[in-house]
Every structure is written in C-alpha cells, then in structure tokens.
Amino acid sequence: MEEEEAAAGEEAESTLMYRIERPVYDEAFIRSTVLKRRENSTTLRERLAKHFRCSSKRAKAAVFSFLPILTWLPSYPVKEFLFSDVVSGLSTGVVQLPQGLAYAMLAAVPPVYGLYSSFYPVLLYTFFGTSRHISVGTFAVISLMIGGVVVREAPDSMFFFPPVNGSNMSAVLDVEARDARRVQVAVVLTTLVGIIQFVFGLLRFGFVAIYLTEPLVRGFTTAAAVHVVVSQLKYLLGVKTPRFSGPFSALFSIQAVFSDITSTNVSTLILGLVCIVFLYVVKDLNERFKKKLPIPIPGEIIVVIVSTGVSYGMSLSDDYSVDVVGKIPSGLLAPAAPDFSLLPNLVTDSFAVAIVGFSMGISLAKIFALKHGYKVDGNQELIALGLCNFISSFFQTFAITCSMSRSLVQESTGGKTQIAGLLSSLMVLLVVVAIGFVFQPLPQTALAAIIMVNLLGMFKQIRDIPALWRTSRIELAIWLVAFVASVLLGLDYGLLVALTFAILTVIYRTQSPKSAVLGHVPGTGLYCDVEEYEEAAEYEGIKIFHSNSSIYFANSDLYVNALKEKTGVNPEALQAARKAQRKQKQKEKGNGNHNSSLKTSCTDKERGVTHEVLSYNHVSEEQSNGQLGDGDSETLSEEEAVFLHPLSDVHSIILDWTPGSFIDSVGAKAIKQVILEYAAVDVQVVIAGCSRNLLSDLDSLQFFSGVMTPEMVFPTVHDAALSCQRSHPAFAPTKAKTPQIHVE
C-alpha cells in the first residue's frame, strides 16, 4: 500500500502542473497596471543613420552575402570533397550537354544556343548562388515559355520571300533570318528577366514565390509538360507544321500534326521510338538500382552519341530525309548588346518567366538545403539568377533556372558544392570550343525523345489529384484550374488565371470561415465547440462566439450574420417582440384591464424563445431592463417600462478574437454597430483574446470611443466569462465579490 502511494506521489511530481490565481483582467486594468509600453527615444534621423552606417564588419558581411563562394571556398576540404565533386560534375555535364541541345528546340532557337545557356549561367552561379546542390541551366518549362514568346514575336510568316524570277513556286522561308530574329527576341527577354530578378533580390522580394503555392506550381508544370510533348510531336513524326503560340496553341498544334500525319517520315518515327524505349528503360534501371549504382547510367549521352553515329554512318539526312541538328559553329560568340527596341512587347512575359524561374529554383534549393542541413537565402538566389540571366544574355543565351533531373543527378552522385556545377559547365565549354561539329548529324527526333522521357516526372504529378481530393478540395481546385487554364490558354495566361484563382481562394476562406459556439470544459480552462465535443458545456446566459478569421471589409457582414445565427440571438427579432409587447400593453390599458397579476407572453417563433413580463409588484426584486429602446418608439410610463425578465435568455455574448490578426475600418464599424444593436435589447457584448497588434489596430481606428471602452476587452475567454457571470449574478454559480482565475 505504501509502495502504491509512493508511486502515485512520484507520478504526480513528474506531471507538469499549470497553476495560476489572479484577478480577472480587462484591457483597461492591463494598460493601467500590468503592461507599460517601452518609450522609443530614438528619432527617425538616428534610425536612418544606424541603418545606413558603414563599418568594416558590415562591409565584410555585405561582400560575403553578395559572393557566397567566399564563405566556403577558402575552407574547402579538398581531400574529402574534391573527388565527389569531380564525379558529380562529370555526371551532371554528361546530362547537361544533350539537354542543352534539346531544350534549345523548345526555345525555338538553334541548338548551339542551348550549349551557350548551359555554360555561362552555370559558371556565374558558382560564385553568386547559395545552394550547393542544384544544377542551373536550361529547363523545359522556361524554355517552352521563351519559345512561345519568340514564335509570337518572330513567326514564320514574317520570313517568307517570293521565289526568284517570278516562277510559280511557293514562297521560300528564310530560315537564317528567322533564327537570327528569334535569337534576338530570346536574348532581350533574358536580359529583362535578369533585370527583374536582380531588382527583386535587391528589394528583398524573395517572398513573392510564396504566392505560387505548391498545387499551383505542380498543376502548372504538368500543363507545361503537355505543351512540351505536343510541341515535340512534329519532330518525333518528322512532319512539317508551323509552331503556334497564344491561347489554344496546344489544340492548334495537335490539329496541325494529325492533319499532316500521312506525311510522317517512317525512319524518323522508328528512330525516335527506339530512343524513347531505351531512355525509359535506362531511367527505370537508374531508379530501381540507384543504391547499387555508383553513378546513374547516362542514357541521354548514349542516345546522343549512338544516334549521331547512326545518322552519320547511314546518311539519314540525305538518304532518308531525317531532320538533323545541322551546323554547330565552333567557339564562343563575342559579347554583344541586346536589341532593346524589342523591350516594350516583352515586359509582361518577362515577369512571368522571372517569377516561374525563381520559384522553381528556390523550391528545389530549399529541399536540398533541408536534406543536407544548411540554409539558402531566397533574396540572394534572386540576385544570383538575375545576374546569371543578365550577364549571360550579352553572350547570346536564353533564360535559365534549375533543372530537377540534373539536380538529382548532381546530388545523388555525391556532389558537395558548386564545384560540381563548375566542372559540368567546363565540359559543355569543351564541346562548344573543340568538338561541337561532331553533333551536327544528330537527329532532331533523338532530342525530342530526350525531352519527352525527361517529362515523366512531371506527368507523375497527376497522382496529386486523388491525394488532394482526400485532403483539401480547395487545393485540388487550384491544381485543376492551373492545369486546365495553362493547357488551354497557354502558359502565360494560364499562370495569371491560376494565380488569380489561388488568391480568390484565400478571400473565399476568409469570407467563409468556420464559426462555432464554444463551451467550457470543466476543470481545464479550455473552451471548445459544443457541437463537436461532448465535454464542452455552455454557461447559462452566455454565448461564446468563435470565428477562425480576421474581420475586414470582405467578410464583416458575413461575420455579423454568422454571429446572430450561431448564438440564436437576433436583435431585430427582439426589437419586434418589444414593440409587440408595448402595443399589447397599450391596448390592454385602453380597455381598462389593469390586473395586478397580468402576464404577457411573447414568443419569437423563429428562435423558439419565450419572453415574459410579470407582476409590477415584483419590480423591486429584479434589475431594470429595456431602457435602451429604439429612437422611434413611444415613451412609456415608469411602470410600463420595467420588465422582470430580459427579452432573451442570453444576457452576454463573448466574441473570441483569438484567431484574428487584423481588422480594418469597415470591420470595426460593423462590430461597433452590432454591439449597439445588442445593447438596445439588453445583451452585453464583450471581446476576448485580442492580440496586442489587433488592439493597436483598434486604437488606430479609434474604436474605443463613446460607449466602447477598454473595459469590454479581456485577454482570455475565461476572463470574459467570469466577468459576465459577475455582472449577472442570477446566472453565476458563485457570488464572489472579486472573480478569480483558478486553473490547475
């Protein structure tokens, strides 16, 4: 027995207890006694001087922030990291090379410009980036967005010229002039994207990516994958169709391909299908045996080398009319200024490309940073991407971001730092300078196969639909809207529609919050929904209204309506009941019926609440009610104006504002009005759970004026409940003079 008592005592001692006993606080008491604001003695001039003051420490921190490579390169552990980075860099470079060639086709520029875009930005990111594992460079979604803009600004129809000597031949397409113009458009767009990203980084706008919520991004990228596959069908089949841009471009492209499907080049189709099957098998093997393979099997480079050899050996271009990459000039181009006369038509598109590119990069960078235990700076990532795009554009590149497939290769093969990225860019440089001509016979259908197979991961995102159906219907709606809008309207308009819809869902959630009437869980100090929890019990005569939203112009009316519906106390209905009582009393007075035991019953049929007026002889025993009638009511005699019972069984309503984070002037006016309406029918309304920021908003809006005082605001729901019980002792379980908070 003693052992059991000792064990019980030890268990009680080991349980963390919460005990507090204090008077009930209201806001007026807190301001006068409990809390005192710190006085800010610094002037605006002093704060500005402190902010812009320069010191060696701040200068050093600024340099390290702008050039993150200085934070890790001096202490780079060569023996531990170098071998892993070399292996990772070579593996990533092997993937980067074919993807650069392939994604240039998506951007509607010659393939060599994909190699330029796989060298300069990667080199620059090594110095300015904060992520150690992402692989920047060409990416399918961004390349496709650029391609849409390029084709819109430089369509094929601009470059047809009539045949020589006025023959009956059809007009001839000037491919060189078209490609040169498209490169100019892509370069100017990239310059503007870099400027936008760099300025956003300086202004600390790294937070803009949060507006591209994950379901939106996944639905958008899945739609982009559909566009990419549709755009590559003509290369896979070997048919000659124009490239479309703008709304319904995917439908037009499918229609054009299938209308010309009878001219399919069988050799091109067979070679493309063989490449697709091979790449799919290699990707599946890499996934299944990734723990056993030291490095992934480089399927893309194998396809490039083998298909190039087959094309050259069998003269596929000459004998079988298979489209090939064509001329790849050796060496790097001299830097040149972009044609800024094209800027006005590209501003909107550049914002879309800048935001999507950053959001792709930062999301993947955060995943790797969390996995490997370091931090990435969103603002510095914006600056890094901005500089990569802006500086590289002078060397004829198109906009870049990070690639998921290459980043996974760089990380899974043991990459530790951006030395791996630097080595991959040097591999691309070697190809551009020395052996680029080797890939001139490379069939375009092989590049189309590489692009299509690399999109498998994006198409797997369709699995999100059943998962979101079970977890969040609103997020499912965002996913579907982003997907459908982007497929039908194009990536630029689709992104705008999806972003607008996502913002509207936030407004919808604040306009339609979950509201409840709370009850007290005995002995805990907790207040929970009485409809959801059996233990929660309402105090007699008190309604505690909870709504999980702030109050502002878009939902203030809905908040008031929900308050009246949930509490079952409608001041308009009670006012109507009062008028009916007065008319009945005046009628009885006119008939001379003055019975001392008169009892009038007026029932609010809608709410099912009975309100009674009893004998005048008992007036001195109860509190007087009904003194705040509406202004247009007739004045009654002193006896007629006294009611024994209130108009409602509810004497107090507590507004739980614990979830609220802000309130605007419209919301404050709505709350003032509803408090006055309830006061007119003798129902006291108080507020509980206000944060200090919310109270500051109320002070700024001059909420506490007239009958609105800080005494009606309480720090917790329990404070408010005890105060309401004391102000109506007939309903309170105890009659202590000073209410106390007792929690154990």
Side-chain angles (χ1 to χ4, degrees):
M1 188 67 178
E2 293 179 357
E3 292 179 357
E4 291 179 359
E5 291 179 356
E10 290 178 0
E11 183 178 355
E13 290 179 359
S14 63
T15 303
L16 187 63
M17 303 300 292
Y18 175 19
R19 295 187 180 92
I20 183 171
E21 184 173 351
R22 61 168 174 80
V24 169
Y25 290 162
D26 58 39
E27 183 58 25
F29 181 78
I30 290 175
R31 294 185 180 189
S32 63
T33 308
V34 179
L35 296 177
K36 295 188 182 297
R37 286 188 176 274
R38 294 180 183 273
E39 294 185 2
N40 190 1
S41 58
T42 58
T43 63
L44 177 61
R45 180 179 178 182
E46 291 173 340
R47 290 197 295 271
L48 290 175
K50 181 179 179 181
H51 182 73
F52 292 105
R53 183 178 300 151
C54 185
S55 64
S56 59
K57 184 178 180 180
R58 294 189 67 177
K60 183 179 179 181
V63 171
F64 279 16
S65 175
F66 188 70
L67 287 169
I69 191 173
L70 298 178
T71 62
W72 57 266
L73 186 60
S75 57
Y76 181 78
V78 177
K79 292 182 179 180
E80 297 177 21
F81 284 3
L82 184 59
F83 179 75
S84 298
D85 280 341
V86 169
V87 173
S88 176
L90 295 177
S91 303
T92 307
V94 165
V95 178
Q96 186 127 341
L97 177 63
Q99 287 190 359
L101 293 169
Y103 292 155
M105 294 171 55
L106 290 178
V109 296
V112 70
Y113 292 93
L115 298 181
Y116 298 154
S117 301
S118 299
F119 168 63
Y120 291 106
V122 182
L123 179 66
L124 290 168
Y125 187 83
T126 304
F127 296 91
F128 298 106
T130 59
S131 175
R132 303 174 192 171
H133 295 91
I134 66 171
S135 173
V136 299
T138 56
F139 182 56
V141 175
I142 299 299
S143 299
L144 185 66
M145 294 178 74
I146 295 169
V149 178
V150 165
V151 172
R152 185 193 70 206
E153 296 298 320
D156 289 345
S157 58
M158 290 177 58
F159 302 96
F160 282 106
F161 60 90
V164 182
N165 300 327
S167 62
N168 294 327
M169 295 176 59
S170 59
V172 180
L173 176 63
D174 188 347
V175 176
E176 289 189 6
R178 181 201 66 183
D179 288 348
R181 184 64 172 177
R182 288 182 173 180
V183 169
Q184 286 182 337
V185 175
V187 166
V188 174
L189 179 65
T190 302
T191 304
L192 196 51
V193 167
I195 293 173
I196 291 170
Q197 291 176 330
F198 183 74
V199 172
F200 274 18
L202 292 180
L203 296 177
R204 323 304 287 175
F205 275 17
F207 66 88
V208 295
I210 65 176
Y211 293 102
L212 296 180
T213 178
E214 184 180 1
L216 186 153
V217 171
R218 293 174 73 86
F220 174 78
T221 51
T222 306
V226 172
H227 279 280
V228 172
V229 169
V230 169
S231 71
Q232 296 305 297
L233 286 176
K234 66 177 185 179
Y235 299 109
L236 182 66
L237 300 174
V239 297
K240 308 292 185 183
T241 60
R243 180 164 177 171
F244 299 91
S245 62
F248 306 108
S249 59
L251 301 181
F252 295 147
S253 298
I254 293 174
Q255 181 185 15
V257 168
F258 282 98
S259 63
D260 197 30
I261 199 168
T262 54
S263 61
T264 298
N265 187 312
V266 178
S267 301
T268 300
L269 178 60
I270 292 174
L271 180 59
L273 291 178
V274 170
C275 291
I276 288 176
V277 172
F278 175 78
L279 288 170
Y280 180 79
V281 171
V282 169
K283 189 174 285 288
D284 186 60
L285 291 174
N286 284 335
E287 183 64 26
R288 290 189 179 187
F289 302 103
K290 60 183 178 181
K291 293 183 178 179
K292 297 181 179 179
L293 293 172
I295 60 173
I297 302 172
E300 288 92 346
I301 198 65
I302 294 174
V303 164
V304 168
I305 294 173
V306 173
S307 60
T308 300
V310 170
S311 175
Y312 178 77
M314 299 180 64
S315 299
L316 294 181
S317 177
D318 297 330
D319 297 343
Y320 299 93
S321 300
V322 174
D323 292 328
V324 296
V325 167
K327 184 179 179 181
I328 297 180
S330 298
L332 300 173
L333 298 178
D339 183 2
F340 290 106
S341 63
L342 299 170
L343 277 181
N345 297 334
L346 305 178
V347 173
T348 304
D349 303 292
S350 60
F351 272 97
V353 174
I355 293 174
V356 172
F358 169 65
S359 113
M360 297 287 182
I362 193 63
S363 59
L364 203 57
K366 286 184 176 179
I367 291 173
F368 286 124
L370 182 64
K371 180 178 179 180
H372 293 277
Y374 63 93
K375 292 183 179 180
V376 291
D377 184 350
N379 295 309
Q380 180 59 29
E381 285 296 298
L382 263 176
I383 292 174
L385 288 176
L387 289 173
C388 289
N389 283 316
F390 178 73
I391 297 175
S392 300
S393 67
F394 289 86
F395 297 90
Q396 312 298 297
T397 66
F398 55 85
I400 54 88
T401 184
C402 81
S403 165
M404 182 179 297
S405 59
R406 290 197 310 273
S407 298
L408 290 173
V409 170
Q410 183 168 317
E411 188 262 348
S412 63
T413 53
K416 304 296 184 183
T417 66
Q418 279 302 329
I419 294 294
L422 176 64
L423 293 174
S424 69
S425 69
L426 294 179
M427 278 193 65
V428 175
L429 176 64
L430 177 64
V431 172
V432 172
V433 173
I435 59 174
F437 65 92
V438 172
F439 298 103
Q440 290 180 170
L442 174 62
Q444 291 184 358
T445 187
L447 295 178
I450 292 172
I451 292 172
M452 289 181 173
V453 174
N454 275 317
L455 295 173
L456 286 176
M458 291 188 185
F459 281 114
K460 289 179 180 179
Q461 295 175 151
I462 295 176
R463 299 172 183 171
D464 294 347
I465 294 177
L468 290 174
W469 175 263
R470 293 189 297 268
T471 56
S472 174
R473 305 288 173 85
I474 291 180
E475 289 188 329
L476 173 61
I478 293 174
W479 197 103
L480 292 175
V481 167
F483 176 77
V484 174
S486 299
V487 167
L488 296 180
L489 303 180
L491 297 183
D492 45 2
Y493 292 113
L495 178 63
L496 181 61
V497 170
L499 187 58
T500 303
F501 182 78
I503 294 173
L504 289 177
T505 61
V506 177
I507 298 174
Y508 168 76
R509 292 188 189 196
T510 59
Q511 281 190 311
S512 305
K514 182 180 179 181
S515 55
V517 172
L518 305 184
H520 181 239
V521 180
T524 65
L526 301 177
Y527 289 82
C528 301
D529 187 351
V530 295
E531 295 181 357
E532 189 172 353
Y533 299 99
E534 296 179 357
E535 296 82 1
E538 296 184 61
Y539 290 117
E540 186 179 358
I542 299 175
K543 293 286 184 180
I544 305 171
F545 178 72
H546 172 92
S547 178
N548 60 346
S549 174
S550 299
I551 306 170
Y552 66 112
F553 69 92
N555 70 351
S556 56
D557 289 341
L558 298 173
Y559 181 92
V560 171
N561 293 336
L563 168 64
K564 295 175 181 179
E565 180 181 352
K566 281 288 185 179
T567 59
V569 183
N570 191 326
E572 290 87 354
L574 296 181
Q575 288 281 24
R578 169 172 289 166
K579 289 181 180 180
Q581 290 176 347
R582 287 173 176 168
K583 289 181 181 179
Q584 180 69 19
K585 184 174 291 297
Q586 290 174 354
K587 182 178 179 181
E588 292 175 353
K589 183 177 181 181
N591 294 334
N593 298 327
H594 301 288
N595 298 326
S596 60
S597 61
L598 176 66
K599 177 177 180 179
T600 302
S601 177
C602 180
T603 305
D604 180 357
K605 296 181 179 179
E606 181 181 356
R607 301 297 176 192
V609 180
T610 301
H611 314 289
E612 295 182 337
V613 182
L614 298 180
S615 172
Y616 306 133
N617 299 330
H618 299 98
V619 169
S620 60
E621 299 178 8
E622 299 292 343
Q623 186 178 6
S624 175
N625 295 281
Q627 301 299 322
L628 294 175
D630 52 340
D632 57 351
S633 300
E634 296 182 8
T635 305
L636 302 180
S637 64
E638 183 178 353
E639 289 184 345
E640 292 170 336
V642 178
F643 294 82
L644 178 61
H645 287 287
L647 290 172
S648 170
D649 290 340
V650 176
H651 59 75
S652 299
I653 294 177
I654 300 172
L655 305 181
D656 179 15
W657 281 8
T658 305
S661 59
F662 70 94
I663 188 170
D664 66 0
S665 60
V666 177
K669 288 178 182 177
I671 297 301
K672 271 189 175 183
Q673 181 62 32
V674 79
I675 290 175
L676 293 175
E677 289 177 4
Y678 277 114
V681 292
D682 303 311
V683 177
Q684 172 190 3
V685 178
V686 298
I687 300 168
C690 276
S691 67
R692 306 313 300 178
N693 290 334
L694 189 53
L695 285 168
S696 297
D697 288 344
L698 293 176
D699 288 332
S700 300
L701 295 169
Q702 298 181 347
F703 181 82
F704 299 113
S705 60
V707 296
M708 309 297 166
T709 63
E711 283 82 359
M712 62 188 297
V713 180
F714 297 87
T716 68
V717 173
H718 202 52
D719 284 282
L722 292 177
S723 178
C724 291
Q725 286 180 339
R726 186 190 184 193
S727 61
H728 295 78
F731 293 88
T734 60
K735 296 185 179 181
K737 292 184 178 181
T738 304
Q740 302 283 328
I741 299 284
H742 298 278
V743 180
E744 289 195 4

